[in-house]
Amino acid sequence: MGVSRRNYISMMGSNQRRSCCSSRSSSWLVMLVLQLLVLMFQLLAFMGLQQGVEAQGSWEIVQNNAGIASMHTAVTNYGTVVLLDRTDIGPSQLPLPDGVCRNDANDETSTVDCTAHSAIFDPVSGTIRPLFIQTDTWCSSGQFDADGTLVQTGGDNDGFSKIRTFSPCAADGDCNWVETTTPLQNGRWYATNQRLPDGTQIVVGGRSTSTLEYVPANGAPVFLDLISNTNDAQNDNLYPYVHLLPNNQLFIFANRDSILFDWTTNSVVGNLPTIPGEPRNYPSAGSSAMLPLSGFNGWTDPEILVCGGSTYGAFLNVAAELPASISCGRIAPLSATPAWAMEDMPLRRNMGDMVLLPDRTVLILNGAANGAQGWGNAQNPVLTPVLYTSTAAVGTRFQSLTATQIPRVYHSTANLLPDGRVLVAGSNTHQFYTLTGDLPTELRIEAFSPPYLSGTQPSINNPPSTFPYGSTYDFSISGGNPDLIEINMLSAPYATHSFSQGQRLLQLQTTVPVEDFFGAYTVTATGPPSAVIAPSAYYMLFAVSQGIPSRASWVQVGNN
């Protein structure tokens, strides 16, 4: 049956109206979808930006005025932090309590000083308690003993031959410095300490001191050719880098040269290649760390990392503002053919501090891009930390992180805290406290949260208080990824002048995690086999899941 023209037109009009309405409806839907997509992309971009910020770490000021600028810093097994400056510089900004004063007739600046030059800082409460120190600790050295006592050696003036101890206590305690009556055999200024497997400390070098000795004393001081031979017009052999290797020998580095030293016979057993580039020790000041040791490879194959330094002459010709080094060297000192493998950092840096982090990376922060150590010798502070991943491929090992707003140059420090943050203190490039002008004396204390703290931290449900050598322990871990779990221990070093004396990271050998009935999982870890691998002391013990550390527990390692 045919369709009349009138009906056809009516049908067409109806279809056109439906088509028109359908077209308008489709256009509206398309616009809505496009707007939603735009909003989604904006949200994703914002989230990505936020994640990017977190992925670079973050800074916070944890104490606005510590009262002293800490040139030596150490974290105790109570989680408190020893801050130590020097005497003989006039008053600090932290008064001693109850009318206590330091009397020193030979102090040319202030014979009566009623202010503190050391303090204990509690990162949990943010409180500062002044400590009393009598003798001058300027540019001294130190290390913790097995029982947690900080043994502190040398300095300048009346502190040149001094041995001091600090036995830590809880944050609300009243522990304080003790000046011992037994002196060093050789006075030492700008020396380095390393704790040894027999419980003694070796003290190496110092200005105009080319010897080493042991504390407590074990024989006469020993002359060390390395220290004497690496001296130059700038004294670029001060604060030598000393690392205890897993074969019980010492790696000792000064200026650009290094040796293997057998401390049991007081003999040099190997000379290592000269590192390319600039001088690396004070006052040209790079930094050094021994990369993490692992139980999974039998605690063998140690590697040493040395980064930064200054162009030779920067200390002698400050006005030239010579550039800092941009290079890092890495060496396996016990290999059959040891050689330095060189690579460049993202930024030039001297006076940088190296901090081993519980995820087995190395944080490098503080310092300057020009000049050298010394009063007023540094220019162009480097505010941006970098993260070094030793297991990554060459060319991908460095990551730049969030910059601080506070310059930290000469006499600054950095120390790992049990919560995984890094405490950053000090910076005084002046002879006296100078609170105004260029690079003023820095009394603020910061904490840097590395990128791993942007994730959810695992927790150790049953942390041990002791860990005898060679023993095993069943850890109960909550949170994190059970397929990617590590148990890592870190020593508490004595940080000063761009080198953390005694710094050490141990990755314990672990079993495959087994889930329990409560949603946690059990990991069995085997402790270090001997004091050669882990000199007896308190260590921070972390569970690390997928690169994210737990809060550390303090564990006393050794057969105590």
Side-chain angles (χ1 to χ4, degrees):
M1 188 173 89
V3 179
S4 69
R5 186 173 181 273
R6 181 177 179 180
N7 289 339
Y8 176 80
I9 294 172
S10 175
M11 290 170 59
M12 289 295 295
S14 176
N15 288 339
Q16 286 174 349
R17 285 192 297 272
R18 283 198 297 270
S19 176
C20 177
C21 292
S22 176
S23 176
R24 285 198 296 267
S25 176
S26 297
S27 298
W28 181 83
L29 285 172
V30 169
M31 291 296 296
L32 179 62
V33 169
L34 288 173
Q35 289 177 348
L36 287 173
L37 285 173
V38 169
L39 288 173
M40 184 183 299
F41 283 128
Q42 289 175 339
L43 179 60
L44 288 173
F46 175 76
M47 291 174 64
L49 177 62
Q50 293 299 101
Q51 290 172 356
V53 170
E54 291 178 356
Q56 306 308 313
S58 60
W59 292 87
E60 61 179 318
I61 296 176
V62 294
Q63 172 55 249
N64 271 305
N65 187 351
I68 67 170
S70 187
M71 75 166 72
H72 323 81
T73 308
V75 180
T76 78
N77 61 291
Y78 287 89
T80 55
V81 184
V82 177
L83 310 175
L84 182 61
D85 192 11
R86 60 162 296 198
T87 61
D88 296 6
I89 55 171
S92 72
Q93 300 293 300
L94 182 65
L96 287 165
D98 305 323
V100 173
C101 296
R102 174 180 160 274
N103 297 287
D104 184 356
N106 296 317
D107 188 334
E108 297 179 0
T109 305
S110 179
T111 56
V112 178
D113 184 358
C114 302
T115 62
H117 298 276
S118 182
I120 198 81
F121 172 64
D122 180 14
V124 176
S125 65
T127 56
I128 293 279
R129 178 171 67 86
L131 301 176
F132 182 86
I133 194 85
Q134 176 64 38
T135 55
D136 192 2
T137 54
W138 182 18
C139 302
S140 51
S141 55
Q143 193 93 136
F144 284 105
D145 265 349
D147 65 355
T149 298
L150 179 59
V151 177
Q152 210 274 334
T153 52
D156 192 25
N157 301 316
D158 58 353
F160 189 47
S161 299
K162 267 291 179 180
I163 300 175
R164 313 164 193 84
T165 61
F166 180 82
S167 297
C169 56
D172 59 354
D174 61 357
C175 46
N176 218 317
W177 285 102
V178 173
E179 309 252 351
T180 71
T181 56
T182 303
L184 291 167
Q185 296 180 77
N186 289 157
R188 298 190 186 271
W189 190 25
Y190 300 90
T192 298
N193 292 23
Q194 169 64 55
R195 183 161 171 72
L196 298 174
D198 67 352
T200 62
Q201 295 186 24
I202 190 170
V203 189
V204 182
R207 188 183 292 277
S208 302
T209 308
S210 297
T211 64
L212 60 84
E213 65 180 276
Y214 299 88
V215 176
N218 180 15
V222 177
F223 185 82
L224 194 61
D225 285 331
L226 174 75
I227 302 300
S228 176
N229 294 342
T230 55
N231 196 15
D232 58 26
Q234 298 188 138
N235 297 130
D236 280 316
N237 62 352
L238 302 180
Y239 277 122
Y241 305 144
V242 182
H243 301 288
L244 175 65
L245 301 177
N247 70 340
N248 204 24
Q249 294 174 2
L250 293 172
F251 172 91
I252 305 178
F253 180 106
N255 198 326
R256 295 174 56 213
D257 292 325
S258 51
I259 60 170
L260 297 176
F261 184 80
D262 185 344
W263 63 272
T264 66
T265 61
N266 288 323
S267 59
V268 175
V269 293
N271 291 286
L272 298 168
T274 298
I275 191 172
E278 302 79 6
R280 307 286 178 166
N281 292 87
Y282 182 96
S284 294
S287 190
S288 176
M290 182 167 68
L291 296 177
L293 299 175
S294 176
F296 286 100
N297 69 353
W299 307 106
T300 58
D301 304 325
E303 290 188 273
I304 306 298
L305 183 68
V306 175
C307 291
S310 302
T311 301
Y312 181 78
F315 181 77
L316 298 174
N317 186 4
V318 176
E321 299 188 4
L322 296 174
S325 173
I326 199 169
S327 68
C328 285
R330 181 168 161 176
I331 191 170
L334 301 183
S335 68
T337 55
W340 289 99
M342 305 302 295
E343 54 190 316
D344 284 350
M345 299 181 287
L347 303 163
R348 293 184 178 276
R349 189 187 306 260
N350 58 32
M351 293 179 282
D353 286 281
M354 282 189 185
V355 181
L356 294 175
L357 298 181
D359 65 349
R360 294 187 288 122
T361 58
V362 184
L363 182 69
I364 307 174
L365 71 172
N366 299 337
N370 297 81
Q373 287 185 318
W375 295 326
N377 290 355
Q379 303 89 27
N380 299 324
V382 178
L383 304 178
T384 302
V386 297
L387 196 66
Y388 178 83
T389 303
S390 63
T391 55
V394 175
T396 65
R397 289 175 175 161
F398 290 100
Q399 176 190 358
S400 295
L401 303 178
T402 301
T404 179
Q405 301 300 308
I406 301 176
R408 306 274 182 179
V409 288
Y410 188 41
H411 289 155
S412 58
T413 60
N415 298 72
L416 179 69
L417 293 174
D419 61 10
R421 295 180 300 168
V422 174
L423 192 80
V424 183
S427 187
N428 187 12
T429 188
H430 308 279
Q431 182 175 4
F432 307 108
Y433 276 34
T434 305
L435 303 178
T436 58
D438 184 44
L439 298 175
T441 304
E442 186 53 68
L443 304 181
R444 290 172 290 181
I445 300 177
E446 293 175 284
F448 177 69
S449 295
Y452 53 54
L453 289 180
S454 62
T456 302
Q457 294 180 266
S459 59
I460 303 175
N461 301 320
N462 61 338
S465 58
T466 60
F467 214 143
Y469 292 126
S471 65
T472 59
Y473 188 82
D474 296 333
F475 288 89
S476 174
I477 310 295
S478 294
N481 185 340
D483 296 323
L484 296 168
I485 188 71
E486 299 178 10
I487 303 295
N488 296 336
M489 298 194 318
L490 291 99
S491 65
Y494 178 91
T496 187
H497 290 76
S498 306
F499 182 57
S500 288
Q501 301 177 19
Q503 184 169 219
R504 203 170 192 81
L505 191 158
L506 307 172
Q507 181 190 22
L508 302 188
Q509 186 173 9
T510 54
T511 60
V512 175
V514 177
E515 190 171 1
D516 62 23
F517 294 105
F518 304 100
Y521 43 93
T522 299
V523 177
T524 301
T526 301
S530 70
V532 173
I533 304 302
S536 183
Y538 281 93
Y539 289 73
M540 287 179 274
L541 189 145
F542 293 87
V544 183
S545 177
Q546 223 165 354
I548 302 173
S550 67
R551 183 180 180 87
S553 299
W554 287 98
V555 59
Q556 193 173 24
V557 175
N559 300 325
N560 302 300

